[in-house]
């Protein structure tokens, strides 16, 4: 395996890493998009090292596939302010990164797969729906629920998993978590700036406005290339039942994989689903079975007929 620094041209330039297998090229490749928030090319946050795109890149290289992963705006080596970037900006960045990957001499530009985790899955679907050339799309913990509905679903699922003292305080203060989230959505929709202060916190307001209005089903319905969708049964941020919607909506061939004990971090979690276990989970790499399934699927679709 070799790793080479790569800068995606455009505004802003995106700092990334091209990972190449130890085999002669040009080889098929996978573009790897991280989740939401200020994540770097490895899917790491300064407070949580998810490592999803890093682990995928290394697994792909071991199987003879190249990959590109990149720092989001305002993170790592990419300039800018992540709070000022909208969902549409992130989608444009993914397309630029795909073009840069496909143009590399070590890569077979006709055999590029788009893969993303969480928000990255939504971005990959958006790019494919635009008709961006790709051999297939991998949706890891990708939602098929409209943004506003998804955030309310998250509030319903996450609330009962909060520590008992926090739940007791919310009851004492008569705070309805779902209603509070819905009220914040209205405040965000009323903003007009890229960044706004909601409840004393500076938010990426434009991203939230665009995400609240985003319906992934519209993009899924325009995808004609093969799709692999993987979601965990213990995911508190994306409904595992969305796999059924993805399978019913995508026009191309679809494979779905529901892993019962898997969380949003793509690690296994024993016991009841809880975000409090994330810290312990993140000490382990991404689930090997998930990595193996993604790599095997990418190899199958990337060695098929060339993309026109």
């Amino acid at each position: 395996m070799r790793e080479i620094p790569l800068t995606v041209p455009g505004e802003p330039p995106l700092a990334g890493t091209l990972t190449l297998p130890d085999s002669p090229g040009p080889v098929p490749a996978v573009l790897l998009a991280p989740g939401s928030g200020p994540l770097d090319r490895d899917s790491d946050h300064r407070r949580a090292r998810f490592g999803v795109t890093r682990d995928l890149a290394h697994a792909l290289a071991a199987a003879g596939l190249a990959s590109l992963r990149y720092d989001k705006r305002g993170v790592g080596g990419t300039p800018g302010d992540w709070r000022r970037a909208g969902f549409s900006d992130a989608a444009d960045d993914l397309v630029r990164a795909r073009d840069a990957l496909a143009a590399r001499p070590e890569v077979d530009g006709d055999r590029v797969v788009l893969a993303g985790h969480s928000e990255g899955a939504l971005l990959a679907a958006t790019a494919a729906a635009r008709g961006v050339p790709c051999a297939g799309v991998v949706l890891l913990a990708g939602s098929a629920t409209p943004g506003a509905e998804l955030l309310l679903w998250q509030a319903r699922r996450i609330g009962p998993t909060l520590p008992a003292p926090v739940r007791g305080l919310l009851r004492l203060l008569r705070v309805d978590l779902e209603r509070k989230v819905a009220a914040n959505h209205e405040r965000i929709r009323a903003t007009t700036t890229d960044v706004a202060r909601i409840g004393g916190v500076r938010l990426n307001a434009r991203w939230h406005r665009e995400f609240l209005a985003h319906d992934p089903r519209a993009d899924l319905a325009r995808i004609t290339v093969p799709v692999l969708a993987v979601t965990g049964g213990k995911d508190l941020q994306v409904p595992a039942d969305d796999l059924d919607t993805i399978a019913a909506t995508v026009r191309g061939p679809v494979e779905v994989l529901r892993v019962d004990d898997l969380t949003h971090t793509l690690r296994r979690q024993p016991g009841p689903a809880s975000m409090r276990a994330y810290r312990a989970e993140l000490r382990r790499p991404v689930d090997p079975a998930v990595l193996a399934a993604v790599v095997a699927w990418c190899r199958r679709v990337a060695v098929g007929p060339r993309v026109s």
Side-chain angles (χ1 to χ4, degrees):
M1 185 180 72
R2 292 181 293 142
E3 295 203 304
I4 302 171
L6 186 152
T7 300
V8 176
E11 185 54 41
L14 307 174
T17 297
L18 175 66
T19 303
L20 298 169
D22 188 17
S23 57
V27 297
V30 182
L31 177 67
L32 301 170
S36 61
L39 298 185
D40 67 14
R41 69 192 73 183
D42 292 336
S43 301
D44 288 344
H45 185 281
R46 61 188 179 88
R47 294 180 180 174
R49 300 176 65 84
F50 293 94
V52 171
T53 44
R54 178 194 61 238
D55 288 359
L56 278 168
H58 295 172
L60 290 162
L65 299 174
S67 66
L68 172 62
R69 60 194 196 272
Y70 56 93
D71 296 334
K72 297 176 71 174
R73 298 187 185 205
V75 183
T78 298
D81 181 351
W82 69 271
R83 289 188 180 87
R84 297 191 179 280
F87 182 87
S88 56
D89 291 329
D92 292 341
D93 290 346
L94 182 146
V95 174
R96 285 196 288 136
R98 189 225 72 95
D99 292 345
L101 175 61
R104 292 290 302 194
E106 307 94 334
V107 167
D108 183 342
D110 291 327
R111 304 182 192 275
V112 174
V113 173
L114 306 181
H117 173 239
S118 192
E119 181 200 8
L122 296 176
L123 300 175
T126 295
R130 290 181 183 178
V132 171
C134 61
V137 180
V138 177
L139 309 175
L140 298 171
S143 169
T145 301
E149 294 179 25
L150 180 66
L151 295 179
L152 292 176
W153 180 90
Q154 290 176 359
R156 287 194 297 273
R157 289 295 305 275
I158 292 171
T161 75
L162 295 172
V166 176
R167 298 198 309 272
L169 181 61
L170 291 174
R171 286 195 299 269
L172 181 65
L173 298 177
R174 297 181 179 178
V175 175
D176 183 318
L177 192 58
E178 186 176 348
R179 184 175 297 177
K180 185 176 179 62
V181 169
N184 282 339
H185 290 174
E186 292 308 311
R187 296 187 185 99
I188 291 169
R189 289 188 180 98
T191 64
T192 57
T193 55
D194 290 346
V195 182
R197 193 171 291 277
I198 304 292
V201 179
R202 290 181 70 237
L203 291 179
N204 45 340
R206 181 158 71 94
W207 182 91
H208 274 86
R209 290 195 302 271
E210 293 178 357
F211 183 80
L212 288 169
H214 181 67
D215 187 343
R217 295 170 298 186
D219 287 337
L220 293 169
R222 291 195 291 268
I223 298 177
T224 57
V225 297
V227 169
L228 170 67
V230 182
T231 303
K234 291 184 178 176
D235 197 319
L236 295 173
Q237 290 158 266
V238 171
D241 288 346
D242 275 10
L243 291 173
D244 296 332
T245 303
I246 292 170
T249 307
V250 172
R251 292 165 54 198
V254 184
E255 293 182 36
V256 298
L257 176 61
R258 175 173 176 153
V259 184
D260 287 340
D261 289 335
L262 202 73
T263 73
H264 197 69
T265 72
L266 303 184
R267 276 85 166 174
R268 308 251 181 178
Q269 183 183 111
S274 172
M275 293 180 70
R276 286 178 288 168
Y278 279 12
R279 180 172 295 184
E281 287 175 23
L282 295 180
R283 298 191 186 106
R284 306 191 306 272
V286 170
D287 184 72
V290 171
L291 291 176
V294 172
V295 169
W297 187 89
C298 288
R299 281 187 57 83
R300 287 202 306 273
V301 303
V303 297
R306 290 176 177 270
V307 178
S308 60

